[in-house]
């Protein structure tokens, strides 16, 4: 995978200057970024991406490697288990802000929730937190407003899937008639989408919400995802070949694809020492890349 080092430095400088992010400073001091540095940077960004102040900045600045960052940060929860409620909700909120940055992240989110509860579905019985950590978690608890907005982002990203994948009755029981006008605004839109309401029915739901709130939130929705990402800026620095190795993401013709079956990864790595059966010429690379693009789109492809 080719990586433009100058673009990476530019985003890292912005994180350092705009948010005073000291975690990226060691990478800014390097005179040259190598493949191993990129591996370390991916790990650091994975730890930062749950922080609300960094989430969208990382998403727009590192779109080409976003799937690798997200899968590394959230991939450990795909096997199920009993999550901590607040930790799970923070992950959900961060993931919901990234699904518009990269189509592959949306597909990862769909798979993620096959093994994880929805953002609103982790009850008190699963939320035990040791007393030594309670004070720390209280400072970063997800508000009800952010939780409702999180659910709305997922529903907008893929209405057909999330409308049927989650038990929305539980959501409606928790949040019906509650919260500030902004929370009720997003609640109404979730209710309308899940129930397939008409626009006039949605307008009726908005009757008790101040008009200025409705207008402001609609304008904010229109601006989501419209910013120019760092990937759209022309190349202006040296490129390095990043030969990353990951158990959660694979690179096929410079197309990132999530790995959902770890046994497949182990099986094919064991075959790496065997003679290649595939002749890697330009036409083969192009054909494999086309197949990878088809898989990444989430659509059925015909193998003839």
């Amino acid at each position: 995978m080719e990586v433009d080092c100058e673009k990476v430095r530019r985003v890292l400088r912005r994180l350092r200057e705009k948010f005073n992010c000291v975690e990226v400073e060691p990478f800014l001091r390097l005179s040259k970024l190598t493949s191993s540095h990129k591996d370390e940077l991916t790990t650091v960004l994975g730890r930062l991406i749950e922080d609300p102040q960094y989430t969208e900045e990382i998403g727009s600045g590192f779109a080409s490697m976003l799937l690798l960052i997200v899968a590394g940060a959230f991939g450990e929860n795909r096997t199920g288990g009993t999550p901590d409620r607040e930790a799970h909700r923070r992950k959900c909120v961060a993931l919901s802000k990234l699904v518009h940055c990269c189509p592959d992240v949306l597909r990862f989110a769909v798979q993620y929730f096959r093994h994880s509860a929805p953002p609103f579905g982790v009850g008190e019985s699963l939320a035990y937190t040791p007393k030594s950590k309670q004070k720390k978690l209280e400072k970063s608890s997800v508000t009800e407003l952010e939780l409702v907005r999180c659910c709305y982002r997922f529903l907008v990203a893929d209405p057909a899937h999330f409308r049927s994948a989650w038990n929305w009755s539980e959501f409606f029981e928790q949040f019906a008639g509650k919260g500030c006008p902004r929370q009720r605004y997003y609640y109404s839109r979730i209710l309308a989408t899940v129930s397939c309401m008409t626009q006039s029915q949605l307008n009726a739901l908005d009757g008790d919400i101040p008009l200025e709130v409705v207008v402001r939130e609609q304008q904010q929705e229109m601006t989501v995802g419209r910013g120019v990402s760092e990937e759209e800026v022309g190349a202006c620095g040296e490129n390095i070949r990043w030969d990353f190795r990951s158990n959660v993401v694979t690179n096929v013709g410079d197309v990132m694809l999530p790995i959902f079956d770890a046994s497949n990864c182990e099986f094919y790595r064991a075959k790496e020492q065997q003679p290649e059966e595939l002749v890697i010429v330009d036409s083969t690379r192009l054909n494999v890349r086309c197949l990878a693009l088809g898989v990444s789109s989430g659509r059925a492809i015909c193998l003839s």
Side-chain angles (χ1 to χ4, degrees), residues 145 149 180-183 185-186 209-223:
L145 169 61
R149 292 183 67 192
C180 63
R182 293 183 66 201
Q183 181 174 321
Y185 170 88
Y186 290 104
I209 302 175
L211 180 60
E212 59 270 20
V213 173
V214 175
V215 173
R216 184 173 63 249
E217 295 303 318
Q218 287 177 341
Q219 291 176 341
Q220 183 176 346
E221 286 184 65
M222 294 173 63
T223 62

Side-chain angles (χ1 to χ4, degrees), residues 205-258:
L205 291 178
D206 288 342
D208 63 338
I209 302 175
L211 180 60
E212 59 270 20
V213 173
V214 175
V215 173
R216 184 173 63 249
E217 295 303 318
Q218 287 177 341
Q219 291 176 341
Q220 183 176 346
E221 286 184 65
M222 294 173 63
T223 62
V224 173
R226 287 192 175 183
V228 177
S229 72
E230 196 66 29
E231 306 297 325
E232 298 172 358
V233 181
C236 56
E238 63 170 325
N239 288 353
I240 63 169
R241 183 73 184 176
W242 182 22
D243 297 317
F244 69 88
R245 294 180 68 87
S246 171
N247 290 325
V248 291
V249 173
T250 187
N251 180 7
V252 181
D254 284 341
V255 178
M256 295 284 196
L257 296 174

Side-chain angles (χ1 to χ4, degrees), residues 8-302:
V8 172
R9 290 192 183 95
R10 190 159 56 235
V11 179
L12 293 179
R13 281 196 296 269
R14 189 162 65 239
L15 286 171
R16 183 68 179 93
E17 295 168 2
K18 185 176 180 180
F19 303 104
N20 194 29
C21 180
V22 296
E23 289 84 353
V24 302
E25 192 166 338
F27 299 98
L28 292 172
R29 294 174 180 171
L30 296 171
S31 58
K32 183 177 181 179
L33 289 174
T34 64
S35 182
S36 61
H37 293 145
K38 292 291 292 182
D39 292 333
E40 296 172 11
L41 178 60
T42 301
T43 303
V44 171
L45 294 176
R47 291 197 297 265
L48 295 174
I49 205 165
E50 288 185 37
D51 190 324
Q53 67 176 330
Y54 301 132
T55 303
E56 291 172 288
E57 192 73 29
I58 292 174
S60 61
F62 296 97
S64 64
M65 53 187 285
L66 185 58
L67 178 61
L68 189 62
I69 298 171
V70 169
F74 302 153
E76 69 274 9
N77 282 357
R78 291 183 300 177
T79 57
T82 302
D84 171 83
R85 183 181 63 177
E86 288 303 324
H88 175 66
R89 287 181 172 179
R90 285 194 297 272
K91 287 181 182 293
C92 291
V93 169
L95 196 56
S96 72
K97 294 177 179 179
L98 299 171
V99 291
H100 72 274
C101 297
C102 175
D104 291 333
V105 174
L106 174 58
R107 293 189 61 240
F108 176 87
V110 169
Q111 185 70 18
Y112 177 85
F113 285 113
R114 288 179 181 172
H115 303 285
S116 302
F120 56 86
V122 183
E124 293 292 339
S125 61
L126 300 180
Y128 171 75
T129 304
K131 290 184 178 180
S132 60
K133 296 184 179 181
Q134 284 178 358
K135 186 175 181 180
K136 180 179 179 181
L137 289 179
E138 285 173 1
K139 297 180 180 179
S140 57
S141 295
V142 176
T143 64
E144 287 192 350
L145 169 61
E146 194 54 57
L147 190 64
V148 172
R149 292 183 67 192
C150 164
C151 297
Y152 177 70
R153 293 187 197 106
F154 284 122
L155 191 58
V156 169
D158 193 341
H161 173 77
F162 287 105
R163 185 189 292 125
S164 58
W166 291 345
N167 180 13
W168 289 100
S169 297
E170 183 180 348
F171 173 86
F172 297 139
E173 289 176 3
Q174 290 185 43
F175 299 106
K178 296 181 180 179
C180 63
R182 293 183 66 201
Q183 181 174 321
R184 297 199 304 274
Y185 170 88
Y186 290 104
Y187 174 89
S188 297
R189 271 136 192 83
I190 291 174
L191 178 60
T193 303
V194 173
S195 305
C196 300
M197 291 183 178
T198 63
Q199 184 61 46
S200 59
Q201 291 173 316
L202 175 58
N203 293 340
L205 291 178
D206 288 342
D208 63 338
I209 302 175
L211 180 60
E212 59 270 20
V213 173
V214 175
V215 173
R216 184 173 63 249
E217 295 303 318
Q218 287 177 341
Q219 291 176 341
Q220 183 176 346
E221 286 184 65
M222 294 173 63
T223 62
V224 173
R226 287 192 175 183
V228 177
S229 72
E230 196 66 29
E231 306 297 325
E232 298 172 358
V233 181
C236 56
E238 63 170 325
N239 288 353
I240 63 169
R241 183 73 184 176
W242 182 22
D243 297 317
F244 69 88
R245 294 180 68 87
S246 171
N247 290 325
V248 291
V249 173
T250 187
N251 180 7
V252 181
D254 284 341
V255 178
M256 295 284 196
L257 296 174
I259 298 172
F260 296 124
D261 188 347
S263 61
N264 278 345
C265 182
E266 296 170 0
F267 173 77
Y268 284 104
R269 280 188 178 171
K271 294 175 67 69
E272 286 182 353
Q273 305 301 324
Q274 300 179 14
E276 290 284 352
E277 298 179 0
L278 192 65
V279 180
I280 306 299
V281 295
D282 289 344
S283 60
T284 303
R285 293 180 189 276
L286 179 61
N287 291 336
V288 171
R289 176 177 170 80
C290 289
L291 289 174
L293 288 170
V295 172
S296 69
S297 69
R299 301 178 182 275
I301 56 177
C302 178

